[in-house]
Amino acid sequence: MMELNQLLEILKHTPAMQSKQAIAHCFSTNIVLDNVTCHVDSLDSLYAYPGDDTAAVSLNGQYILHACEGMLPNFVTHYPYFAGWSAVMANISDIAAMGGRALSVVNSLWHTSNESAQQLMHGMQDACHAYDVPLVGGHSHLGAAYQPALSVAIQGMARKLLSVLHVKPQQKILIALNLQGQFHPDTTYWKCFEHVSGRILQSQIALLPQLAEKNLAYAARDISNAGILGSLLMLLEGTASGARINLDAIPKPDDVEWFQWLQIFPSFGFLLTADANKCEEIIRLFHSQDIACTVIGETNNSGVITVQQQEQSSIFWDFHRQIFTGFCYANLLKKRALEKSQSKPIQIETKSR
C-alpha cells in the first residue's frame, strides 16, 4: 500500500486538480471578490457568485438555479453518446447539490460529423428522459472547420439551499456514493446509471432536495473531476474551513486502489455537512436508495485539511498557504456577521412594579 504522504502528494498534482487551481489564475478572482464587497447586503446576494455547484438567485421566497457544463473536446470526439449523457447528468447533480430540482436543459454543440452529432443528441435525450427533465432547445452547428465541442446548461428551483457558504466549524462531513457501478474504460468516470431504471435514478437524485427541505444538511458538493479530496476542497474553500478526514471511513470497492478511487468522477457522489445529531437520519435515507453513506470527518476553523489513514496522518491542503479555485468569501462573511451583531437593537430589561 502506498504511503499516505506519497498518495496525497501525487493526488495534489493530478491534471484534474491542476485544472481547478488554474481557475484562480485564468480569471481575476481577487477583482471579483473585491467587487462583491460593494454589493452584498445579505447572504442571498452571495449565492449568485462562484463557489457553489450552481448560481442561485432569490425569487419570491425560492431560488432559481443556473449551471453549465462544458465537455472536454477529446471526450466529445471519442465518446459522443456518453459525453451527451454525462453533460446532462453532471448538470442535474449540480442542481441537486444545491438542494434543488431540475426544470429544463439547453445545449450548444459543434461537430464535423453528422453521425457523431446525432450520438451526442441521443445521449442528452436519453439522460433527460431517464431523469424526467425536458430538453428544451439550444444551438448546433456542423462543419468541417469545427472542433467537436459540447456545452449543456440547466435551470432548476430550490425551496431551501444547500450551500458551501453554510459550512461552519464542528459540522460532520459525510460522503454519499453509489458503489454499484464500474469505471468507464481508461477514465476516472465511475458509472452507476447503466441498466438502472429512470424511476430509481430519479428517486436517488431526489434525496438531496429532501435533505435541504427537512433541514438535515447545511452544505453539499457534487463530487466532480477533481475527485473526492479535490471536491472536498471546493466544499470548504468558500469559508476557508479546515477539516480532519478519516480516509478509511470512505466507502470503496475492495478491488480498487485508493489512488484510483480518490480520483473518481462518479455519476452519483456527494459530500455534505450536517450536525452530528442529523447524521443517522441522513445515512438512513441514502441507504434506503442503496447508496453508501458514512461520516468521514469534521470541519474546523483551522483552514487546514488533514487526512488520517490507520496510524498515519498528513496535511493535504492549507488554505493559508495555497488557494484552490480562489473562490473564498471567509473575510466577507466575517465582516457581515460582525456588522449584523453590531446592528442588533438594544434590549432593555423592565421589571413589573
Side-chain angles (χ1 to χ4, degrees), residues 7-276:
L7 172 64
L8 297 182
E9 192 62 29
I10 294 174
L11 288 172
K12 282 194 288 189
H13 295 92
T14 61
M17 286 285 288
Q18 290 180 334
S19 71
K20 293 298 182 184
Q21 294 174 70
I23 294 172
H25 302 291
C26 291
F27 301 97
S28 189
T29 305
N30 291 332
I31 293 176
V32 172
L33 297 191
D34 286 344
N35 288 338
V36 166
T37 61
C38 301
H39 305 291
V40 173
D41 54 4
S42 69
L43 197 56
D44 274 358
S45 305
L46 270 183
Y47 292 138
Y49 285 89
D52 268 308
D53 279 299
T54 82
V57 180
S58 178
L59 177 67
N60 298 328
Q62 298 190 75
Y63 296 92
I64 302 174
L65 307 177
H66 300 278
C68 182
E69 292 285 344
M71 296 291 103
L72 294 171
N74 188 57
F75 187 33
V76 174
T77 300
H78 292 98
Y79 306 103
Y81 178 87
F82 186 38
W85 177 289
S86 298
V88 171
M89 178 185 62
N91 271 304
I92 289 174
S93 293
D94 285 343
I95 293 291
M98 295 295 291
R101 294 176 172 84
L103 294 177
S104 61
V105 169
V106 295
N107 67 85
S108 296
L109 68 89
W110 291 260
H111 219 293
T112 58
S113 162
N114 183 58
E115 181 182 353
S116 293
Q118 288 181 358
Q119 290 182 49
L120 277 174
M121 286 301 302
H122 287 157
M124 288 185 281
Q125 289 168 341
D126 287 352
C128 283
H129 178 72
Y131 288 99
D132 193 26
V133 180
L135 183 64
V136 296
H139 168 85
S140 59
H141 206 124
L142 290 173
Y146 295 102
Q147 181 181 30
L150 174 66
S151 177
V152 173
I154 194 167
Q155 299 77 42
M157 290 290 292
R159 297 191 186 104
K160 301 202 70 173
L161 287 182
L162 302 173
S163 171
V164 299
L165 300 176
H166 301 164
V167 174
K168 292 182 179 179
Q170 297 183 321
Q171 294 175 2
K172 296 297 182 182
I173 302 171
L174 301 95
I175 191 169
L177 281 170
N178 189 340
L179 300 182
Q180 301 174 48
Q182 61 183 353
F183 282 105
H184 192 74
D186 303 318
T187 72
T188 59
Y189 302 112
W190 179 257
K191 301 187 295 185
C192 35
F193 60 83
E194 293 180 315
H195 313 298
V196 179
S197 72
R199 178 184 58 82
I200 292 175
L201 294 175
Q202 292 167 37
S203 296
Q204 290 173 342
I205 207 71
L207 291 171
L208 278 299
Q210 289 176 35
L211 295 179
E213 290 160 12
K214 291 182 177 181
N215 295 314
L216 292 176
Y218 292 110
R221 185 85 205 188
D222 173 37
I223 298 174
S224 70
N225 65 324
I228 293 174
L229 294 181
S231 299
L232 175 69
L233 295 185
M234 290 187 284
L235 177 75
L236 301 173
E237 188 176 28
T239 55
S241 296
R244 189 168 187 86
I245 301 299
N246 178 9
L247 202 65
D248 295 313
I250 297 175
K252 179 181 75 66
D254 293 336
D255 60 344
V256 180
E257 296 295 330
W258 279 113
F259 175 69
Q260 185 180 21
W261 190 245
L262 290 173
Q263 293 186 69
I264 57 166
F265 189 166
S267 62
F268 189 100
F270 296 89
L271 294 163
L272 307 102
T273 70
D275 288 331

